[in-house]
């Protein structure tokens, strides 16, 4: 409903500082110069007074569906589902006169499900919140039900007397007391505001102040956690008619509206890290964007922060979305939650981006809104309107998606390095590749509160290959996949991990998991189209190590491994692919169909293989080319599993799915073993055969100290120096480990260099080719020219693995 979007366009609220420089925070930081009061920029005022009731009613409309069409089939179905979910726990509510609890199932018992969550407080407050919202929602069977009203009022009163008030100190996980419980109670007060006496509202707000007096909880106030607290505080100010609380909530955002160079937050390259060591753009990052959007919808335009958020939408979020789905490699523990799919997360991010961009300048809107519409309309796995769109916004989003005001526009192919969080994305014609790595800076997985219990290898070089098969990584992938055979990893195939949940220790804000001792993780790219990446992999539980590289150009992905060694007397494998079968799949090896039913085969002389997904679309298919002899295994299998196997809170229902596995065996105790293969997404079997007869990518060297590859058509050569090399290797030497990529043009060379270790101040490379000039532009470098070579001493200090680009004029 458009009328519910109370967004104010205060064009004059963005005021320069005294030095004339915009810092992006002026529009909501209080001014003492009498020019602009920061609050005026985002809070509607009535004759100089904040209109608290107007703000509250706006939020009320959002949580209850507003003026939704109650005859709309989507609204009817959605409300029925909500009512059924509420009935599931409401029928079990304890209404005894001398009750000792409101609910007594395991979800409300401290220590039963979680060792540190105060569930006897969190869960009842959350359920009372759900009851309050359906009580206030037109179309619900509970709408204005006097019994529900009585149960909510008395239930919250009971919680105040026995569990949640200034008499009861907080215990267990801080998040529940600082974020979860406050948001539940505030929703109750908004939904049933007039049903509470002023005295009751005051005591509940006083309790909120007791547990969360500000928005700076003991160092945990970063990223999504901070924005959650800020929104909660601002909403509390609305309920309390307290302008200072709204101010505190909005001003608190300034700590997050900046880039960082360590730990939590957004980095210059678009990386988003939460819990200090984990890529979380699609987890806590999604929540961050959601709360920022809610702040903007409720409190109006922020000025320059809109520009900053628009930048992050474009550089941090959009590259990780494919056909409406947010890539699993940045969703952390959320991959272990059945109800939070990659497409659901993608939809949430796209919607919140849409709501934020409505406040952006016209040029930004014209550039980014077509991408949002494309992702929504190109998603065949999940319908946005019926499954993701908030009820209060259905009319508006129908108009956006089905109207002609904005034309859907797919993105051009791109290659994006997120060096600060050890992630790479390459989007080609009809596919996207997500590469998940880890290092001594970024942990390879997070287990917390008994979630994500089989994620041991999810950061070990997993290659997420997204195609037109949009249900590949959803529809029970994580409940049924073989976690020892994730695509892209080199793995100790016989190793058995123990399901272990990290716990909080004394003085430890976030549980600390496994960080590899390896610092060489990263890569280099050019023109936002091509790239080389690498990871010096060291296994968590064994002696296994390997130097793994990926060279990506257009629709070709070359994977190289070298220095593969292990001494544990167990079989080592490199997993080429592991695809969930969602259609009538056909598997071909060197032109002959194989594995028409479940089974396994292996060959040592194969040249190519092909997986036809059976969906009637070549863009769902994948070809495989094997440049060298290897012990190749192919397997078709049926697998079963449940969410409860790797998430304590998950459903025990067993699901079954079919898979195609393809891997290279290195045998037991390999020493300096290698591998090479090329992934060819969106190619038919005939196209794969043609490519294998005349491959574009060439392996020049696959040695333990350096790997060199070339794409002939694009005239690109790339090096991963695992060690320094004073001697030239295919025309290039380097004084330290580094990643280099060079593209040859008619009269010049484009050179990209990065320090994957992120520890050097400078990198010195010598290119043995006649060059007349080096144009460094935004890169600082010392240049030494000779008749037959050029030496560049490049400043990489503080670059965090970003590529430094230099243009060289040929002589």
């Amino acid at each position: 409903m458009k009328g519910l979007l109370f967004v104010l366009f205060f064009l004059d609220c963005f005021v320069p500082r005294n030095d004339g420089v915009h810092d992006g925070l002026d529009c909501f930081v209080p001014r003492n110069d009498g020019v602009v009061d920061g609050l005026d920029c985002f809070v509607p005022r009535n004759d100089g007074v904040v209109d608290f009731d107007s703000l509250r009613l706006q939020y009320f409309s959002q949580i209850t569906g507003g003026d939704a069409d109650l005859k709309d089939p989507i609204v009817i179905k959605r409300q029925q589902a909500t009512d059924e979910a509420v009935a599931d726990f409401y029928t079990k509510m304890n209404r005894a006169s001398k009750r000792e609890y409101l609910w007594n199932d395991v979800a409300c018992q401290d220590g039963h499900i979680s060792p540190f969550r105060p569930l006897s407080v969190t869960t009842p407050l959350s359920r009372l919140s759900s009851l309050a919202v359906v009580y206030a929602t037109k179309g619900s069977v509970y709408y204005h039900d006097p019994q529900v009203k009585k149960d909510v009022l008395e239930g919250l009163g009971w919680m105040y007397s026995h569990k949640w008030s200034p008499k009861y100190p907080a215990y267990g996980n801080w998040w529940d007391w600082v974020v979860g419980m406050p948001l539940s109670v505030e929703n109750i007060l908004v939904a049933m505001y007039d049903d509470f006496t002023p005295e009751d509202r005051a005591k509940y707000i006083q309790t909120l102040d007791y547990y969360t007096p500000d928005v700076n909880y003991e160092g945990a106030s970063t990223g999504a956690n901070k924005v959650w607290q800020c929104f909660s505080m601002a909403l509390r100010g609305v309920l309390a008619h307290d302008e200072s609380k709204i101010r505190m909530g909005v001003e608190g955002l300034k700590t997050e509206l900046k880039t960082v160079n360590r730990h939590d937050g957004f980095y210059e390259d678009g990386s988003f890290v939460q819990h200090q060591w984990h890529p979380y753009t699609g987890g806590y990052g999604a929540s961050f964007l959601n709360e920022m959007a809610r702040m903007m919808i409720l409190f109006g335009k922020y000025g320059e922060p809109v520009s900053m958020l628009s930048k992050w939408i474009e550089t941090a979020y959009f590259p990780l979305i494919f056909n409406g789905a947010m890539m699993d490699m940045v969703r952390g523990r959320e991959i272990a939650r059945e109800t939070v799919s990659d497409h659901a997360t993608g939809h949430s991010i796209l919607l919140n981006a849409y709501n934020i961009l409505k406040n952006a300048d016209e040029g930004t809107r014209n550039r980014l809104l077509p991408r949002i519409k494309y992702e929504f309309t190109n998603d065949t796995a999940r319908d946005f309107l019926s499954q993701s769109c908030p009820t209060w916004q259905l009319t508006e989003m129908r108009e956006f998606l089905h109207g002609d005001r904005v034309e859907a526009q797919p993105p051009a192919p791109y290659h994006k390095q997120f060096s600060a969080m050890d992630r790479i994305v390459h989007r080609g014609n009809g596919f996207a590749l997500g590469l998940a790595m880890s290092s001594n800076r970024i942990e390879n997985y997070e287990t917390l509160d008994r979630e994500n219990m089989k994620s041991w290898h999810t950061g070990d070089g997993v290659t997420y290959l997204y195609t037109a098969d949009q249900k590949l990584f959803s529809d029970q992938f994580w409940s049924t996949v073989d976690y020892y055979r994730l695509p892209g990893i080199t793995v100790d195939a016989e190793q058995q991990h123990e399901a272990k949940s990290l716990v909080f220790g004394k003085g430890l804000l976030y549980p600390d998991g496994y960080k590899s001792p390896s610092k060489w993780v990263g890569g280099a790219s050019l023109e936002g189209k091509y790239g080389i990446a690498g990871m010096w992999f060291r296994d968590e539980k064994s002696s296994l190590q390997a130097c793994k590289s990926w060279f990506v150009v257009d629709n070709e992905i070359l994977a190289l491994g070298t220095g593969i060694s292990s001494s544990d007397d167990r079989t080592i494998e490199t997993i080429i692919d592991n695809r969930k079968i969602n259609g009538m799949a056909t598997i071909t090896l060197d032109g002959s169909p194989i594995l028409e039913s479940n089974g396994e085969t292996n060959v040592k002389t194969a040249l190519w293989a092909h997986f036809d997904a059976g969906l009637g679309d070549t863009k769902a298919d994948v070809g495989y080319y094997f440049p060298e002899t290897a012990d190749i295994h192919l397997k078709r299998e049926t697998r079963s599993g449940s969410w409860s196997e790797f998430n304590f809170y998950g459903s025990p229902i067993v699901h079954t799915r079919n898979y195609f596995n393809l891997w290279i065996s290195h045998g037991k105790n390999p020493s300096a073993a290698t591998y090479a293969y090329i992934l060819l997404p969106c190619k038919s079997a005939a196209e794969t055969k043609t490519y294998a007869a005349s491959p574009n990518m060439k392996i020049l060297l696959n040695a333990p100290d350096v790997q060199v590859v070339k794409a002939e058509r694009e005239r690109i050569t790339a090096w991963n120096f695992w060690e320094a090399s004073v001697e030239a290797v295919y025309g290039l030497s380097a004084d330290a480990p580094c990643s280099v990529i060079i593209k040859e043009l008619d009269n010049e060379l484009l050179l990209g260099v990065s320090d994957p270790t992120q520890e050097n101040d400078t990198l010195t490379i010598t290119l043995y080719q006649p060059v007349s000039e080096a144009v460094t532009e935004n890169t600082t470098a010392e240049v030494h020219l000779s008749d037959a070579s050029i030496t560049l001493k490049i400043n990489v200090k503080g670059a965090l693995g970003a590529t430094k680009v230099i243009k060289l004029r040929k002589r």
Side-chain angles (χ1 to χ4, degrees), residues 61 80 92 100 141 153 231 235 278 361 400 461 486 626 719:
S61 292
Q80 287 175 342
K92 303 170 187 174
E100 297 181 357
V141 296
L153 295 178
F231 179 79
L235 184 57
H278 298 283
D361 62 84
F400 172 69
L486 297 178
F626 313 116
W719 294 255

Side-chain angles (χ1 to χ4, degrees), residues 70-138:
L70 300 184
K71 296 180 181 179
D72 186 328
I74 291 177
V75 176
I76 294 172
K77 183 177 180 180
R78 182 177 294 174
Q79 194 57 57
Q80 287 175 342
T82 300
D83 289 345
E84 289 172 4
V86 168
D88 189 55
F89 64 78
Y90 185 39
T91 56
K92 303 170 187 174
M93 187 177 186
N94 180 15
R95 298 188 182 90
S97 58
K98 296 182 179 181
R99 57 189 170 187
E100 297 181 357
Y101 56 83
L102 298 183
W103 286 274
N104 197 34
D105 55 275
V106 293
C108 299
Q109 297 176 14
D110 293 344
H112 185 86
I113 293 180
S114 169
F116 49 84
R117 296 286 300 278
L119 296 180
S120 65
V121 189
T122 301
T123 303
L125 288 177
S126 175
R127 290 176 176 178
L128 290 173
S129 174
S130 297
L131 279 169
V133 170
V134 294
Y135 169 80
T137 300
K138 295 178 181 178

Side-chain angles (χ1 to χ4, degrees), residues 386-416:
S386 64
Q387 295 180 273
S388 300
C389 183
T391 301
W392 70 273
Q393 214 168 354
L394 274 170
T395 300
E396 178 184 2
M397 294 310 295
R398 273 199 180 100
E399 182 180 327
F400 172 69
L401 294 177
H402 300 315
D404 56 6
R405 181 172 60 89
V406 174
E407 183 178 351
Q409 181 66 43
Y414 55 80
H415 186 94
K416 172 73 172 174

Side-chain angles (χ1 to χ4, degrees), residues 29-82:
V29 175
R31 303 288 297 253
N32 55 17
D33 56 9
V35 178
V36 172
D37 182 291
L39 204 59
D40 288 327
C41 298
F42 56 86
V43 178
R45 300 169 88 78
N46 183 7
D47 297 329
V49 178
V50 176
D51 193 345
F52 297 108
D53 290 335
S54 174
L55 290 171
R56 174 174 53 80
L57 290 174
Q58 289 175 60
Y59 186 65
F60 174 87
S61 292
Q62 293 170 31
I63 64 175
T64 63
D67 296 325
D69 180 1
L70 300 184
K71 296 180 181 179
D72 186 328
I74 291 177
V75 176
I76 294 172
K77 183 177 180 180
R78 182 177 294 174
Q79 194 57 57
Q80 287 175 342
T82 300

Side-chain angles (χ1 to χ4, degrees), residues 671-704:
S671 176
T674 65
Y675 67 80
Y677 60 89
I678 295 177
L679 301 175
L680 301 168
C682 306
K683 286 193 181 295
S684 66
E687 290 170 327
T688 303
K689 179 180 179 180
T690 299
Y691 183 93
S694 181
N696 176 52
M697 285 188 169
K698 307 293 184 184
I699 302 167
L700 303 182
L701 185 64
N702 189 16

Side-chain angles (χ1 to χ4, degrees), residues 627-759:
E628 59 186 36
T629 300
D631 186 4
I632 297 171
H633 291 246
L634 305 94
K635 183 178 183 180
R636 187 170 188 153
E637 65 175 337
T638 298
R639 295 185 54 81
S640 297
S642 69
W643 292 92
S644 62
E645 293 177 23
F646 72 120
N647 184 338
F648 187 81
Y649 310 99
S651 167
I653 296 174
V654 175
H655 302 277
T656 300
R657 295 293 184 271
N658 297 314
Y659 285 84
F660 165 59
N661 292 202
L662 177 62
W663 72 92
I664 295 171
S665 175
H666 303 291
K668 293 184 177 181
N669 300 324
S671 176
T674 65
Y675 67 80
Y677 60 89
I678 295 177
L679 301 175
L680 301 168
C682 306
K683 286 193 181 295
S684 66
E687 290 170 327
T688 303
K689 179 180 179 180
T690 299
Y691 183 93
S694 181
N696 176 52
M697 285 188 169
K698 307 293 184 184
I699 302 167
L700 303 182
L701 185 64
N702 189 16
D705 54 347
V706 62
Q707 293 168 307
V708 190
V709 294
K710 184 174 184 178
E712 294 188 332
R713 182 178 57 251
E714 293 78 12
R715 301 167 72 187
I716 296 175
T717 307
W719 294 255
N720 270 345
F721 286 96
W722 300 102
E723 300 174 2
S725 178
V726 295
E727 296 184 0
V729 179
Y730 282 89
L732 192 72
S733 64
D735 74 334
C738 61
S739 191
V740 182
I741 184 169
I742 297 177
K743 181 177 182 180
E744 183 176 359
L745 304 174
D746 291 341
N747 299 311
E748 59 189 22
L749 302 170
L750 289 181
L751 180 146
V753 182
S754 77
D755 170 26
T757 72
Q758 302 189 21
E759 292 191 348

Side-chain angles (χ1 to χ4, degrees), residues 548-568:
K548 300 170 66 67
S549 291
W550 297 266
F551 179 40
V552 191
V553 171
D554 295 335
N555 280 38
E556 303 167 58
I557 305 156
L558 170 60
L560 278 183
T562 187
I564 302 169
S565 61
S566 173
S567 58
D568 303 303

